[in-house]
Amino acid sequence: MGELKSPGAAAEGTSKITIEGGASGTSGFATTKLDALLAWARKWSLFKYPFVTACCGMEFMALTSPRFDGSARFGAEAPRFSPRQSDLLWVVGTISQRQAPVLKRIYEQMMEPKWVLAFGTCASCGGFYDNYTTVPGIDKIIPCDVYVPGCPPRPEAVLDGLILLQDKITKNATGDRRPGIVKPREDPIRDLVKLRRKDKEDNA
Amino acid sequence: MSVRALEALKNRFGDVVVETHSDWGDDTAVVKAESWKEVCRFLRDDPSMAFDMPVDLCAVDFPERSPRFEIVLHLYSVGKRQRLRLKARVGDAEGDDAAIDSVTDVWVGVNWYERETYDLMGIQFKGHPDLRRILMYPEFEGHPLRKDYPANKTQPLVPYRTEEEAGLTLDKQAPFGIDEGMPFGRRTFDERDN
Ligand code: SF4
C-alpha cells in the first residue's frame, strides 16, 4: 500500500512514497506519477455546477447541446446542481450585488479541490455594466481560475477555456494557480476572404 | 388621438392642469400634484375617457429645477384606443419631501411601478399598501437613479477580496482593459455641469 501525498505536498519538490513492508525511498518518480495520475483523473472527470444568471446562459445551452457537445467531450458532461457534488463552478452571466452572497456561499460549500470558470465578460470583469448594481467581476468575491472573455463568448472560446483549465489542473501538481485568460482567436473570416480572392484570381 | 381628452381635462379641472402639449401624437398633460388622484380617478371613470390600462409609471429627475421630480404616468384606453401621458411635479431641491398620492386604488396595476419609483428615485407614494424596495436589497442606502447618486458607487453585500488575500493582482490583463472592453466613457452629472 502506498501512501498518497496530496498534490500540494508534491509542490515542494521532494516527493516521498512509503511502501508497506519497510521499503521506503525518496524516488521522485513514483509520486510524481501518482500526482499526475490524480490530476489526470480530475482533469477528465470535472463535475460542473452551472451558476447561470443572464444572457450568457443561452450561449451555455448552445455549448452544451449536440452541435458543440461542449463539455461532454471533455469529461465534464453531467451537471450537478448541488455544490457538494461538483468541483467546477461555471459562473455564467451577470452577477449582481444582490446575488454575490449566494455565489460566495455556493463556492464555499464546494469540496476541495475546486475550480471556477468565469464565462463571459460580465462574470470576468462586470462587462459593460459599470454601475451600482453589478459586481465588477466575480474575482472580487471568489477566486477564479479561467476567464473566458466575450459578450457572449463563442463556444470555441469556452472550449479553449475548458482546455486551459484542464492544462491548469495538470500543472496544479507544481502549484501553478495563476488564472488563465482565453486569448482571442484570429478571425477566420480573413482567411476565407483570402481564399475567395485566390479563387477569383485562379478563374480569371 | 387624445387631444380631445386634453380638452376635456382642461374644461373639467381648469387651473389644476398646469400645461398640455401634443407633439407627434404624444398627448401630455401636466397636473398639480395635489389633484393627482382626483384626475386619475376621472380619467378612469368618465365614460368618454375610460383609460383602463396604466401602461407605465416612472419618474424623471431634473436636479436643477425646483419641483425636482416629474412623475410620469402613461395611460391607455383599450376600448377607445387612445393614449395619454400624465405628469406631476414634486419635490424640493434636495429631493427630500417628494411625495404624491398613490393611485393603487385607482388601478391596482401601478402597485409595483410605484414601488420601483420609490426604490430607484425615492418618491413617497402616500397611501400605498406596501411601499418597500423592490429591486435593490433592503439595506441599500439612497436611491440609485437620482442624478446625484455617484455613478461609480457600489454597496457590496459581501466584502470584496483584497489583492493580499487573493495573492495575485486583480487588475485585469488584456483583453479586459478599459481600452479593450468598454467602448464608451462614463460621464457623471457633475462633469456635465462644468
Ligand atoms: S457577457 Fe454579455 S452575453 Fe454574457 S451575460 Fe454579460 S451581457 Fe450577457
Side-chain angles (χ1 to χ4, degrees):
Chain A
M1 286 290 286
E3 179 196 323
L4 289 184
K5 291 276 183 183
S6 74
E12 288 146 30
T14 55
S15 28
K16 213 173 209 172
I17 175 165
T18 340
I19 295 168
E20 216 172 73
S24 75
T26 48
S27 154
F29 183 71
T31 314
T32 314
K33 271 304 229 192
L34 279 171
D35 277 345
L37 186 76
L38 278 183
W40 180 83
R42 282 174 183 153
K43 163 180 170 182
W44 292 111
S45 67
L46 290 166
F47 278 69
K48 63 188 179 190
Y49 183 103
F51 192 91
V52 178
T53 56
C55 24
C56 265
M58 264 55 84
E59 206 58 28
F60 181 77
M61 292 171 210
L63 172 81
T64 329
S65 61
R67 169 112 188 215
F68 294 99
D69 237 355
S71 27
R73 287 187 279 150
F74 298 89
E77 179 164 29
R80 287 284 173 269
F81 297 102
S82 155
R84 297 184 198 281
Q85 295 168 359
S86 42
D87 55 3
L88 169 57
L89 178 63
W90 292 69
V91 185
V92 182
T94 326
I95 301 297
S96 63
Q97 299 288 0
R98 220 174 167 168
Q99 267 169 332
V102 181
L103 180 66
K104 187 160 189 214
R105 189 164 343 122
I106 282 176
Y107 176 76
E108 281 163 358
Q109 283 177 346
M110 284 166 66
M111 297 291 177
E112 293 276 2
K114 55 192 171 188
W115 296 277
V116 181
L117 189 146
F119 185 120
T121 314
C122 278
S124 304
C125 68
F128 55 74
Y129 298 104
D130 185 13
N131 58 17
Y132 57 93
T133 174
T134 305
V135 177
I138 53 163
D139 53 3
K140 294 282 183 297
I141 43 174
I142 58 176
C144 180
D145 293 285
V146 174
Y147 300 97
V148 185
C151 175
R154 283 206 45 95
E156 293 90 335
V158 185
L159 294 185
D160 281 357
L162 195 58
I163 296 169
L164 209 61
L165 180 71
Q166 290 184 324
D167 276 359
K168 207 178 144 176
I169 294 172
T170 20
K171 284 195 194 123
N172 220 3
T174 56
D176 181 5
R177 296 231 57 181
R178 277 170 303 156
I181 297 183
V182 175
K183 294 275 178 304
R185 288 193 184 190
E186 189 141 314
D187 191 352
I189 202 76
R190 277 194 227 155
D191 296 335
L192 289 181
V193 171
K194 252 186 245 157
L195 280 180
R196 216 169 53 213
R197 280 207 195 113
K198 196 159 169 292
D199 198 36
K200 270 192 192 151
E201 278 162 22
D202 288 350
N203 287 344
Chain B
M1 287 298 220
S2 41
V3 185
R4 191 186 49 82
L6 292 184
E7 289 306 317
L9 261 187
K10 271 191 273 189
N11 291 341
R12 166 87 203 253
F13 288 100
D15 273 357
V16 164
V17 183
V18 182
E19 59 181 85
T20 62
H21 57 83
S22 315
D23 297 325
W24 308 100
D26 276 344
D27 303 299
T28 308
V30 185
V31 299
K32 288 202 174 129
E34 303 88 71
S35 322
W36 181 246
K37 197 162 171 180
E38 198 187 332
V39 175
C40 285
R41 213 179 269 287
F42 168 74
L43 287 175
R44 183 197 65 177
D45 290 340
D46 194 277
S48 64
M49 299 287 159
F51 286 100
D52 43 6
M53 182 166 140
V55 179
D56 191 19
L57 189 146
C58 55
V60 190
D61 185 8
F62 294 101
E64 70 281 359
R65 289 199 203 158
S66 185
R68 180 173 156 176
F69 299 99
E70 210 163 61
I71 295 164
V72 188
L73 173 64
H74 291 223
L75 296 175
Y76 183 63
S77 161
V78 177
K80 303 207 175 302
R81 295 194 195 153
Q82 57 186 16
R83 291 179 188 276
L84 185 71
R85 185 187 297 138
L86 200 64
K87 292 186 181 182
R89 298 181 178 142
V90 293
D92 59 3
E94 295 303 310
D96 282 337
D97 57 354
I100 197 164
D101 282 334
S102 163
V103 285
T104 38
D105 42 1
V106 184
W107 300 282
V108 276
V110 297
N111 188 319
W112 280 13
Y113 294 140
E114 290 188 346
R115 269 177 74 183
E116 187 193 9
T117 311
Y118 160 72
D119 186 0
L120 302 179
M121 282 286 196
I123 288 162
Q124 303 286 335
F125 288 88
K126 288 177 282 182
H128 189 285
D130 183 23
L131 200 61
R132 282 180 297 132
R133 286 192 180 276
I134 189 169
L135 289 170
M136 310 311 300
Y137 41 91
E139 305 87 23
F140 194 90
E141 282 169 21
H143 303 285
L145 286 198
R146 285 191 177 185
K147 291 214 169 111
D148 54 7
Y149 187 89
N152 55 357
K153 187 176 169 197
T154 54
Q155 302 183 22
L157 280 172
V158 284
Y160 286 167
R161 297 197 307 159
T162 60
E163 301 209 334
E164 292 86 67
E165 255 170 44
L168 47 94
T169 153
L170 293 181
D171 262 1
K172 293 298 186 299
Q173 307 158 34
F176 286 124
I178 194 98
D179 317 327
E180 296 96 354
M182 296 206 289
F184 50 87
R186 182 210 282 142
R187 285 165 73 211
T188 63
F189 174 67
D190 300 332
E191 273 167 25
R192 223 170 359 156
D193 251 4
N194 308 326

